């Protein structure tokens, strides 16, 4: 068991209320970015935009189960159990930006905000420091990927951070309603994202759901423009085919244009993405194929929980559960294709 910041190891069981703890003495006289910045169920750190490592110590006198989310409903740490009287250390890296959620949305609250949740939350200690050697995963996408601002919606990019350990951050620049055309044309989107790409960063691109009137030549050219622009900055592009729509045939399959993202002009978006990836030597995450297999295996009833069918009769957007499952598929592909080292990936608890 790893331990840190022993001066504040008295467990603060948030379910029972947080007790103030003196600042640790081991920070050279500077005010530490630690647990004194927390109240019952939440922490706020007054930091500028940037990337930060967060180290937490979980546990209390009673058995606990703690999850951490932050900023615009991002899942940063899955529910983690700690036996009674024991402490469990976990770390993750988080991106802080303005706007903190969708790039065309509201600014949100300055600084880093964390929510301490779970079925029996207990936070013993926390330490926030600037990240020194982190790798970025930037996300370019639509509403099925973005940091959705309110329940019951969630994009898979919103759930991806919980699967990554300290050393990898997710900067989610997906935005609701965007096509390849609108994303490239927007100063708030591609005009903002491209300058942020650093050598070695991964940039995952999933744009298709809103290219309803984009012809095949334009769609292909737009994907190639994104790939070239990412490589120009030294980043590594990864093309992602879109998640399926939950639109069943009478035989229980999804073999139709609505489910498989073929637009009104007959443009087969997943097929074009696969072709562009192959022609340009770009890694491909085939979410269309993976989600089709999963949704069909669950059937018309079992698959409802992945989407917002029960809440909104919505067969396109995912629930928190569905987004988490789909983010897990992305995690698996990142590891299988050696895009992220297995040691930097967190498995579900």
């Amino acid at each position: 068991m790893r331990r840190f910041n022993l001066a504040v190891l008295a467990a603060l069981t948030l379910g029972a209320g947080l007790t103030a703890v003196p600042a640790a003495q081991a920070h050279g006289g500077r005010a530490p970015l630690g647990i004194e910045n927390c109240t019952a169920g939440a922490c706020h750190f007054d930091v500028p935009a940037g990337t930060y490592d967060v180290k937490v110590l979980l546990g209390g006198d009673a058995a606990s189960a703690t999850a951490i989310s932050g900023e615009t409903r991002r899942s940063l740490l899955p529910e983690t159990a700690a036996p009674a009287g024991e402490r469990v250390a976990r770390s993750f890296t988080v991106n802080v930006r303005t706007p903190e959620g969708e790039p065309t949305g509201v600014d949100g609250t300055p600084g880093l905000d964390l929510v301490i949740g779970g079925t029996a939350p207990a936070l013993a200690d926390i330490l926030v420091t600037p990240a020194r050697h982190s790798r970025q995963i930037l996300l370019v996408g639509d509403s099925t990927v973005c940091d959705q601002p309110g329940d019951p919606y969630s994009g898979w990019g919103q759930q991806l951070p919980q699967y990554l350990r300290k050393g990898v951050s997710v900067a989610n620049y997906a935005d609701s309603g965007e096509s390849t055309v609108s994303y490239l044309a927007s100063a708030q989107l591609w005009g903002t994202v491209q300058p942020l790409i650093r050598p070695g960063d991964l940039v995952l691109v999933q744009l298709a759901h809103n290219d309803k009137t984009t012809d095949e030549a334009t769609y292909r050219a737009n994907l190639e423009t994104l790939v070239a622009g990412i490589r120009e900055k030294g980043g590594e592009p990864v093309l992602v085919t879109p998640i399926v729509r939950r639109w069943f045939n009478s035989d229980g399959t999804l073999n139709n244009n609505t489910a498989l993202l073929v637009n009104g002009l007959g443009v087969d978006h997943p097929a074009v993405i696969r072709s562009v990836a192959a022609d340009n030597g770009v890694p491909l995450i085939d979410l269309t194929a993976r989600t089709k297999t999963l949704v069909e295996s669950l059937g018309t009833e079992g698959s409802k929980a992945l989407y917002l069918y029960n809440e909104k009769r919505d067969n396109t957007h995912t629930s928190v559960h569905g987004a988490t499952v789909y983010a897990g598929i992305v995690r698996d592909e990142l590891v299988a294709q050696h895009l992220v080292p297995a040691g930097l990936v967190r498995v579900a608890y």
Side-chain angles (χ1 to χ4, degrees):
M1 178 181 66
R2 294 181 294 158
R3 299 175 182 272
F4 67 100
N5 203 6
L6 297 178
V8 288
L9 270 184
L12 302 174
T13 305
L14 297 181
L18 195 72
T19 304
V21 176
Q25 302 298 314
H27 295 275
R30 295 174 298 166
L33 295 176
I35 204 154
E36 70 281 355
N37 294 281
C38 301
T39 58
C43 303
H44 173 76
F45 300 93
D46 187 13
V47 295
T51 306
Y52 296 88
D53 291 332
V54 180
K55 192 170 188 178
V56 295
L57 198 66
L58 308 175
D61 293 337
S64 62
T66 308
I68 299 177
S69 60
E71 299 297 89
T72 302
R73 301 177 61 241
R74 296 181 223 158
S75 294
L76 300 171
L77 186 72
E79 187 163 282
T80 303
E86 295 189 19
R87 305 290 184 268
V88 174
R90 294 287 184 266
S91 299
F92 55 88
T93 301
V94 61
N95 169 257
V96 176
R97 62 183 183 272
T98 302
E100 68 179 35
E102 293 182 272
T104 61
V106 298
D107 283 354
T109 305
L112 171 60
D113 288 283
L114 302 176
V115 176
I116 315 302
T119 55
L123 177 67
D125 195 14
I126 187 167
L127 186 65
V128 175
T129 56
R132 300 300 181 190
H133 303 290
S134 66
R135 187 182 189 190
Q136 281 189 126
I137 298 177
L138 294 106
L139 303 181
V140 169
D142 53 36
S143 59
T144 65
V145 184
C146 75
D147 288 349
Q148 289 280 359
D151 276 332
Y153 294 88
S154 181
W156 62 255
Q158 201 164 19
Q159 302 300 324
L160 185 61
Q162 67 184 301
Y163 289 122
L164 301 171
R165 300 180 186 273
K166 175 185 173 184
V168 185
S169 68
V170 174
N172 191 350
Y173 283 86
D175 195 71
S176 292
E178 305 300 341
S179 66
T180 57
V181 176
S182 64
Y183 202 98
L184 281 167
S186 173
Q188 291 175 285
L189 299 170
W190 184 237
T192 296
V193 174
Q194 192 192 22
L196 296 175
I197 300 170
R198 306 172 307 194
D201 286 344
L202 289 179
V203 185
L204 275 57
V205 178
Q206 185 214 280
L207 286 168
H209 280 273
N210 299 301
D211 279 280
K212 298 180 177 68
T213 60
T214 309
D215 64 80
E216 183 168 340
T218 301
Y219 186 64
R220 179 181 294 272
N222 287 345
L223 292 175
E224 291 174 340
T225 297
L226 288 164
V227 167
I230 293 164
R231 285 175 167 167
E232 177 186 324
K233 303 294 289 186
E236 182 172 1
V238 180
L239 292 179
V240 183
T241 59
I243 66 170
V244 294
R245 294 190 177 101
R246 185 190 162 277
W247 199 266
F248 283 93
N249 297 324
S250 58
D251 63 358
T253 68
L254 299 177
N255 296 320
N256 59 77
N257 288 354
T258 299
L260 299 182
L261 282 297
V262 179
N263 74 9
L265 300 178
V267 180
D268 185 332
H269 292 106
V272 176
I273 295 168
R274 295 176 188 121
S275 175
V276 171
D279 291 347
N280 292 273
V282 177
L284 174 75
I285 296 177
D286 200 340
L287 267 189
T288 305
R290 292 288 303 271
T291 57
K292 177 180 184 292
T293 298
L294 176 60
V295 171
E296 287 180 341
S297 72
L298 292 172
T300 56
E301 288 302 315
S303 62
K304 288 178 179 178
L306 295 173
Y307 292 83
L308 294 174
Y309 179 84
N310 293 325
E311 299 86 350
K312 301 285 186 178
R313 295 297 187 267
D314 186 333
N315 291 307
T316 297
H317 298 96
T318 49
S319 63
V320 170
H321 168 65
T324 303
V325 171
Y326 290 173
I329 295 173
V330 174
R331 170 205 59 192
D332 293 345
E333 288 291 326
L334 291 173
V335 174
Q337 298 189 43
H338 306 290
L339 297 168
V340 174
L344 293 178
V345 172
R346 197 186 309 277
V347 297
Y349 290 97

